[in-house]
Structure formats: C-alpha cells, structure tokens
Amino acid sequence: MAKYHGIAPLLQNEFKGRMGIARAEISPPEKMFVRTWGCATHDIADGLHAPLYATCLSISPYEGGGPVFLLTLDLMIWMSREDEDGIRLPLEAEFGIAPGELLLHLSHSHGAPFTDPARASEPGGRLIAPYREKLLAACRRVMAESRSKMELATLSWASGRCGLAYDRDLLLPETGEIVCGLNPDREVDDTLVVGRVADAAGRTIATLVNYAAHPTSLGGGNRLVSPDYIGAMRELVERETDGAICVFLHGADGELTPRRSFEDDVEAADQNGRELGYAALSVLAGMFPPGHRMVFDRREESGATLGRWLREPFEPDGSFGVRRSEVRLELADLPTVAECREAIATAPDGFQRERAERRLAIREKLGEGDSYDLPIYAWRLGRSVLVGAPVEFYSDVQIALRRRFPDITVAVLDVCNGFLNYLPRESDYDRGTYPVRIALFARGSMERARDRAAETIASLF
C-alpha cells in the first residue's frame, strides 16, 4: 500500500478459471398447451414472440478439476416434483456430478409454457411429453458443448442501477385490499449486477445479467410464447458485444414487477427489455479490461493539485468452491393433499382451478410433515458468489447478503433447482399480500433462509 500513498486500489472482482458457454433453442412446438395464467382464455398460443433458450456456462478452477454447470432455461416454473426431477436428475447422472454442481435456473418468464407431464390431458397437452424430450436433449447438448469449449478465461463483475423494477403490492384506497400491481410509492432495490467472461485475448465470450424484477411484462391476454423482457434485453446486449451469449440470472424479486406489467402487447416486454439491456451495457462500458485495476500514481501540480491514477495489471482470484446446505422451515397451515384434490374437483374452470392445481402440485412436493428442509446452493468464484434456492426470495435477501459481504459480489438466483413459490418477509404476514396468502412456510422463514444463506457463503471464504 505504501507505493500508492495508502490509497486502496479501485478494482472489479474477478475470477480466473476455465469457462465455456453454449446455447440451444427450446421454443415449444405449435399447438402445444401453453396456458400459465388463470385469467387467460386460450390454451394454445397464436405464435412465437421471440425464441426461448437453454444456455449453459461451464466453469472449473484454473488448476483443473471437474466443471460445474450453470444451466439456465427460459421457462416459468416447475409444477410438480416429476416436472423438475425428470430434467435435472438425468443430467446429474449422465454428467457424473453431485447435487449442487448443477444449478438449473429458470428465468421465470411468465410467457413461457408449463412442462409438467400432469398437463397431458389439457388441449395440446399431448405435445408436452415430446417437448420434454426435446428440452432434455437440448440441456444435454449445451452442457456437453459448453464443457468441450472450456478455455482459460476471466469472469469480471461490476454493479450499476436500473429503474425497471417496482414494488408490486398495491393498496386500493377504496377497499383497503392489497392487489398484485405496480406500486410507485415504495422504494425498491434497483441493483443490477453484470458479469463479463473474457478469453485469454480479452475477447468477450459471454455476459451475465443479474436483476430482480418478475418477468411479467405480459399477462393472460398475451397470446404469444415469449421470454418476456429477457428476450429484448438479451438481443440488445448481444448485438453490442459482438454476439457474445448473454445469460439472464433471475434475481430476488418476490415483491418486484417491471414498470409495464400484465399487458397484452409484446411491445411492453420489448420496452422493458431495452431498458434493462441499455443499463447492462452502461455497466459493461465502465468495466476495466480483464486482469486490470486502477491505482493512485502521483500528485501533479496544475491550476489545482491533481491526483493522477493509472491502470495496471493484477492477478484475478482463482478461488473456487461449491456448497449445498439446508435450513429446516416450518410449514404454514396448509391443506392436505386430499383436501387439495377435493378443491380441484369442485373448482370451476379458470383462475380458481388454476390456483387449486398449483396448490396440489406444490403440496405433494412438501410431503405430509410439518416442516421441510430447504436446500441452499452457493458457488464461490474468486471474490464473487452465486447463491440460489428453489424459492422466490424477496429482494430483502440480496440486500442483506450484499451488506453482510460488502467486498464480495453476490448474485442471488431465484427458482434454482426446483420451485416452491414465495418466501415472504416476516412483516408482510400482517399485510395479507398475495405471496403471504399462498405461502407454504410459516412466518419468519425468509429470515431463517437468509441467515442460512449467509452462513453458507461465509463457509466458502
């Protein structure tokens, strides 16, 4: 530090290792069942707004060793245990990897179809099984291809801001009801975390965009299969980075929605995506070349005494680690599996039946006990960490983790290796919001999971 007059260098957290990336399209076939909104009046889409993709980033330490796989899919949720297990477990077995070495992460795009085999009896449902075969084959292909492309590379991180996200618990003054809608009066987390993967020559081969806002630009009136705002964001970033594949990492957005939400016209998704895309490009534009930092150099006399900084090379961190932990959470007062089935049998078609079917699928995942061991996954990549779980965290979680680890880049991933819906903050249990009304876990569960995530991260450093 004496060389720099006691002034700390300005740097971006970087990881040096071996990385490779690959992508394949996973858009569903025409005439397949695609309804995901209870208010939708159609079961079959009229067409495709933009392609859906499976993307895999393979990562291994510089010194060698088997890779881990970050596999992202432009899908909304896994409905049943069979839905997710039927994709993830064969991949873990085929590639010989332990639980936690594959992060199967969904974009949560609400314009993407369900893939649950239980929907086979719906209109167009007979196409779900062959689509799942196509999906599994695409996952195998991108995992194998990304592994084969692994090369020495540097993953650099920087943070910025994007004003796309809004709170989505809107109080109606006339009734006192809180509905799921844009609330402009509440301050939210607008943090945008961007990663850049560059090869040994400094060429960008991939970008990662971690942001928290539900991909719900489009609602039940939209009749096109869509990746939501992720599609336009990805297209813009890739165009401006010479075609480097852009990976969206769905952040802790349990209470967040984009400015334009639940609309019928795909232009809403495109506008939202452009906003996020330009914000991501702004962050990328401010990054140093890989393996470089800024240091204070000297005083220089001018009209004022100037402080001159210069850019110098430094060695990125090659530290690497994987953790899988669990936290036991008490269940809320939930109906039994039998009661869920009865609710389906008596529910009219439409949103009530849709809610009842989702309730049954998730209740069956939890079993009939009074608690559940929630898995939490964390990867250390140098001075950064990816942490995920099969829930929708509120943004409070990523805010708290970043405050706890201020010198570490933290990217939180919702809907990771499964899906069990929301973990609302404790204070919301007194407000009766939508996530609380359908919550699976008792009051205080979000805070317990947050603390366990922090413990898991700390064990890696």
Side-chain angles (χ1 to χ4, degrees):
M1 295 298 295
K3 177 182 177 183
Y4 309 121
H5 305 270
I7 300 173
L10 181 63
L11 53 79
Q12 57 204 16
N13 285 334
E14 293 192 328
F15 165 72
K16 183 177 182 179
R18 294 178 56 79
M19 285 165 263
I21 187 139
R23 184 167 72 186
E25 186 173 347
I26 56 168
S27 303
E30 294 182 2
K31 308 299 183 183
M32 193 182 94
F33 176 76
V34 297
R35 177 170 50 80
T36 59
W37 288 91
C39 62
T41 59
H42 65 284
D43 295 311
I44 309 297
D46 291 346
L48 182 68
H49 165 221
L52 308 185
Y53 289 113
T55 308
C56 185
L57 178 65
S58 294
I59 308 171
S60 72
Y62 174 67
E63 296 81 7
V68 294
F69 301 90
L70 175 60
L71 177 60
T72 69
L73 305 179
D74 287 339
L75 296 176
M76 180 185 169
I77 59 173
W78 304 111
M79 287 288 290
S80 64
R81 184 182 297 276
E82 179 186 3
D83 193 7
E84 193 255 349
D85 282 357
I87 301 297
R88 179 172 56 86
L89 295 185
L91 295 173
E92 289 180 345
E94 180 172 336
F95 286 82
I97 50 180
E101 294 178 345
L102 166 63
L103 295 184
L104 181 51
H105 175 53
L106 303 191
S107 67
H108 203 42
S109 300
H110 282 51
F114 288 146
T115 59
D116 189 6
R119 298 293 176 116
S121 61
E122 301 282 359
R126 64 180 178 80
L127 296 176
I128 292 177
Y131 176 63
R132 287 177 60 83
E133 293 178 5
K134 171 187 173 181
L135 180 62
L136 183 56
C139 291
R140 288 190 177 110
R141 186 163 64 254
V142 295
M143 288 178 67
E145 183 180 345
S146 64
R147 183 177 60 183
S148 70
K149 289 181 174 179
M150 289 173 62
E151 59 181 319
L152 182 63
T154 301
L155 171 58
S156 309
W157 295 97
S159 296
R161 303 288 175 191
C162 179
L164 177 63
Y166 280 75
D167 182 86
R168 70 171 197 173
D169 295 330
L170 177 64
L171 176 67
L172 302 183
E174 297 87 352
T175 64
E177 178 188 9
I178 297 177
V179 299
C180 189
L182 184 146
N183 174 12
D185 296 328
R186 192 163 183 167
E187 186 176 348
V188 301
D189 182 22
D190 62 357
T191 304
L192 167 63
V193 179
V194 179
R196 180 195 64 204
V197 180
D199 63 16
R203 181 180 65 90
T204 300
I205 59 175
T207 59
L208 304 130
V209 176
N210 177 224
Y211 190 70
H214 262 81
T216 50
S217 313
L218 304 174
N222 165 54
R223 300 181 66 92
L224 299 177
V225 170
S226 174
D228 207 87
Y229 67 75
I230 296 149
M233 180 279 294
R234 194 162 47 200
E235 181 180 348
L236 174 59
V237 172
E238 291 177 359
R239 184 173 70 238
E240 297 299 320
T241 55
D242 296 325
I245 292 176
C246 179
V247 185
F248 177 69
L249 303 180
H250 167 224
D253 65 356
E255 84 286 21
L256 302 179
T257 197
R259 182 180 295 104
R260 296 183 65 181
S261 293
F262 317 127
E263 297 193 22
D264 300 346
D265 190 340
V266 294
E267 170 53 27
D270 290 341
Q271 180 180 352
N272 288 339
R274 289 191 296 269
E275 180 175 358
L276 180 58
Y278 280 116
L281 289 171
S282 176
V283 175
L284 287 167
M287 294 175 74
F288 306 145
H292 285 77
R293 64 182 180 179
M294 295 285 289
V295 296
F296 180 75
D297 181 39
R298 66 185 188 276
R299 298 166 70 254
E300 181 177 84
E301 297 300 336
S302 183
T305 301
L306 308 179
R308 293 283 300 272
W309 290 63
L310 58 80
R311 202 165 63 194
E312 72 170 17
F314 85 111
E315 186 63 22
D317 193 327
S319 304
F320 179 88
V322 174
R323 291 284 189 278
R324 181 189 184 278
S325 63
E326 293 182 345
V327 57
R328 178 155 293 183
L329 302 179
E330 294 181 8
L331 298 186
D333 184 15
L334 301 176
T336 65
V337 170
E339 289 170 338
C340 288
R341 288 175 176 157
E342 175 64 20
I344 292 174
T346 58
D349 289 338
F351 72 91
Q352 291 170 304
R353 183 177 180 84
E354 183 70 32
R355 289 176 182 174
E357 289 173 341
R358 294 190 190 188
R359 197 72 163 173
L360 171 62
I362 292 178
R363 189 66 180 92
E364 288 179 328
K365 294 180 190 179
L366 297 172
E368 294 284 12
D370 57 6
S371 65
Y372 183 82
D373 292 330
L374 179 75
I376 295 175
Y377 306 92
W379 289 359
R380 178 180 180 179
L381 305 172
R383 298 294 295 174
S384 66
V385 65
L386 306 183
V387 57
V391 291
E392 293 179 72
F393 284 124
Y394 274 42
S395 63
D396 299 57
V397 172
Q398 61 189 25
I399 292 170
L401 293 178
R402 288 167 183 157
R403 286 177 178 166
R404 169 77 184 273
F405 304 101
D407 298 325
I408 297 170
T409 300
V410 177
V412 177
L413 279 60
D414 277 2
V415 195
C416 187
N417 287 1
F419 177 74
L420 291 168
N421 91 14
Y422 299 93
L423 276 186
R425 59 172 78 91
E426 185 170 4
S427 59
D428 278 13
Y429 280 75
D430 297 323
R431 300 173 64 217
T433 60
Y434 162 71
V436 168
R437 293 196 298 272
I438 67 167
L440 304 173
F441 301 104
R443 179 192 293 261
S445 293
M446 186 203 82
E447 290 74 17
R448 286 174 56 82
R450 175 203 63 203
D451 293 346
R452 186 62 179 134
E455 293 168 0
T456 307
I457 293 171
S459 73
L460 288 165
F461 287 86

